[in-house]
Amino acid sequence: MSGETAGTQTVQEGARLIDGSAVAKKVRDQVAVDVAALRARGVVPGLTVVLVGDDPASAVYVGGKEKASREAGMAGETIRLPSTTSQAELLALIDQLNHDETVHGILVQMPLPKQIDPETVIDRISPTKDVDGFHPVNVGKLLIGNTDGFVPCTPAGVQVLLGEYGVRTSGAHCVVIGRSTIVGKPMAALMMQPGPLADATVTVCHSRTRDLAEQTRQADILIAAVGRAQLVTAPMVKPGAVVIDVGMNRIADASTKSGTRLVGDVDFEDVRRVASLITPVPRGVGPMTIAMLLRNTVTAAQRSVRA
Ligand code: NAD
C-alpha cells in the first residue's frame, strides 16, 4: 500500500481505492498482540461503554464497539441506562468508573437525552480514560502537540490511512470540509502539527465558506466531514488529489431491501475519475473509527501499567 503521493497533476485513469477494512484489520491485529502482552502481565484492557436511552442507531454503534473489544481480547462492557436517567446519576456512574482500576477506557455514547448536558458529562470523565479524546484536556493536548493525550478516533484513523497508502503530507495543501469538535477541528489540528503524517498546510471550510469549490480545488488532500450526501463532485477536486470521505449519509434507494443506501459526502463514482486515491463508503473511514478506539483503550491500559 504505497507509492501514491498527493498532488500529482496528471489526469488519472481512475483513483486507487483505500481499503479501510484492510487497514482497520491491521490495526486490530496489532491491538490484539498488545492486549496479549498486557494479559501476560496480568492486565486485561477494559473498555466500558455507557449507553443512555434506546436510540436504535446508538444501540448498533455500541454493539459494534463491544463486539470489537471482545474480539481483540479486551474486557468490553456496556452499561445500559434508561432514558429517564438524571445527570446526577450518570455523573455518579462516571465517578465510579473513573476509580475502577479494571476500566481503562470510558466512552459515553452520544446523543444523550435532553435532561443531560453532554459537555458536563465529558468534563467528568478522567482525561486518562477519555479514549474518545473529547475531554478539554485531551483537546488542548492535541492542539499543543503533546502526544500523551488521546486523539479522537475518526481523525486519528484518517491519518493512519494516509500513512498506510504512502500519502506525502509534508507541505501538501490539506482542505478539511467541516469544523465539528469530533471530526473537522481535530482533523485540521492533526494535519497542521509538525511531524510525520502531518506538516500540511491546512484550510478548514464550513457552512459559511463563501466559495467551497474554489477552496476544495486547491487541495492535494481533501477530507470531507460534512454530513451532506454526495456534496463533493468531480469539478470540486483537483486532478490527482487524495480524497477522504468521512461522511455517512442514508439516501433513498428503491433497489435495496431496506429502501435506503449508505453514501458519503463525496459523489464517489464522479470523483474517482479525477482523484488519485479515494476512500469508499462503506469500508473506508468507518472501520478505522472502531479500530482506533481499541488502539486508544490499549494505550490507556499500557499507560496505567507504567504510571
Ligand atoms: P456535524 O454536523 O457536527 O458537522 C458538520 C460540519 O459540516 C459543520 O462544521 C458545518 O459547518 C459543515 N457544513 C455543513 N454544511 C456544509 C456545506 N454545505 N458546505 C461546507 N460545510 C458544511 O457533523 P460531524 O459529526 O462532523 O460528522 C460529519 C459526517 O461524518 C456525518 O455524515 C457523520 O455521520 C460522519 N461521521 C462518520 C464517522 C465515521 O466513523 N466514519 C465518524 C463521525 C462522523
Side-chain angles (χ1 to χ4, degrees):
M1 297 179 201
S2 65
E4 297 288 348
T5 54
T8 315
Q9 287 298 316
T10 51
V11 176
Q12 309 285 311
E13 294 267 310
R16 216 153 57 94
L17 249 59
I18 292 180
D19 186 343
S21 298
V23 179
K25 182 176 182 310
K26 192 170 161 185
V27 172
R28 287 164 67 156
D29 287 349
Q30 183 56 50
V31 163
V33 169
D34 293 347
V35 169
L38 281 163
R39 277 179 169 268
R41 299 173 64 182
V43 178
V44 182
L47 172 66
T48 296
V49 179
V50 181
L51 175 63
V52 188
D54 36 34
D55 177 53
S58 294
V60 172
Y61 293 144
V62 164
K65 288 165 187 172
E66 188 176 355
K67 183 166 170 276
S69 52
R70 289 259 161 89
E71 281 170 5
M74 294 162 46
E77 191 197 4
T78 302
I79 299 176
R80 292 178 170 79
L81 299 175
S83 57
T84 51
T85 303
S86 70
Q87 180 166 301
E89 285 168 327
L90 180 56
L91 295 179
L93 172 65
I94 292 171
D95 288 345
Q96 192 190 315
L97 295 171
N98 281 341
H99 290 104
D100 185 339
E101 284 185 5
T102 67
V103 175
H104 300 98
I106 303 168
L107 184 153
V108 179
Q109 184 66 42
M110 301 291 162
L112 290 166
K114 58 181 182 315
Q115 72 275 17
I116 303 178
D117 173 44
E119 268 186 47
T120 305
V121 170
I122 290 167
D123 286 2
R124 195 66 160 249
I125 298 171
S126 165
T128 60
K129 298 190 179 189
D130 166 44
V131 286
D132 254 342
F134 297 161
H135 190 284
V137 166
N138 287 319
V139 175
K141 283 186 174 181
L142 171 59
L143 267 190
I144 293 166
N146 180 332
T147 54
D148 72 9
F150 291 106
V151 176
C153 302
T154 303
V158 169
Q159 202 180 30
V160 170
L161 287 178
L162 295 174
E164 283 292 322
Y165 281 82
V167 175
R168 185 168 49 82
T169 58
S170 177
H173 188 177
C174 176
V175 176
V176 179
I177 321 176
R179 57 177 166 183
S180 73
T181 308
I182 64 166
V183 192
K185 278 187 207 163
M187 190 75 250
L190 270 181
M191 298 308 295
M192 77 170 82
Q193 289 297 349
L197 299 179
D199 272 327
T201 302
V202 178
T203 299
V204 180
C205 299
H206 47 77
S207 53
R208 299 297 171 97
T209 295
R210 208 173 295 134
D211 184 343
L212 183 63
E214 186 190 326
Q215 300 297 329
T216 59
R217 274 197 297 269
Q218 312 296 320
D220 301 312
I221 302 167
L222 178 60
I223 303 174
V226 194
R228 299 274 183 280
Q230 298 167 317
L231 173 83
V232 178
T233 54
M236 297 169 70
V237 177
K238 175 157 92 175
V242 174
V243 178
I244 305 290
D245 190 354
V246 179
M248 289 199 301
N249 313 288
R250 287 229 157 256
I251 60 167
D253 183 347
S255 71
T256 66
K257 210 171 133 196
S258 65
T260 65
R261 178 165 60 99
L262 190 66
V263 297
D265 293 338
V266 174
D267 184 337
F268 179 79
E269 290 305 333
D270 196 29
V271 171
R272 72 182 300 186
R273 295 185 291 112
V274 291
S276 62
L277 263 177
I278 188 168
T279 55
V281 176
R283 289 181 290 280
V285 174
M288 293 303 293
T289 299
I290 288 190
M292 299 312 290
L293 176 66
L294 302 180
R295 174 77 267 160
N296 277 353
T297 305
V298 170
T299 299
Q302 287 168 332
R303 287 177 185 163
S304 78
V305 175
R306 266 182 247 129

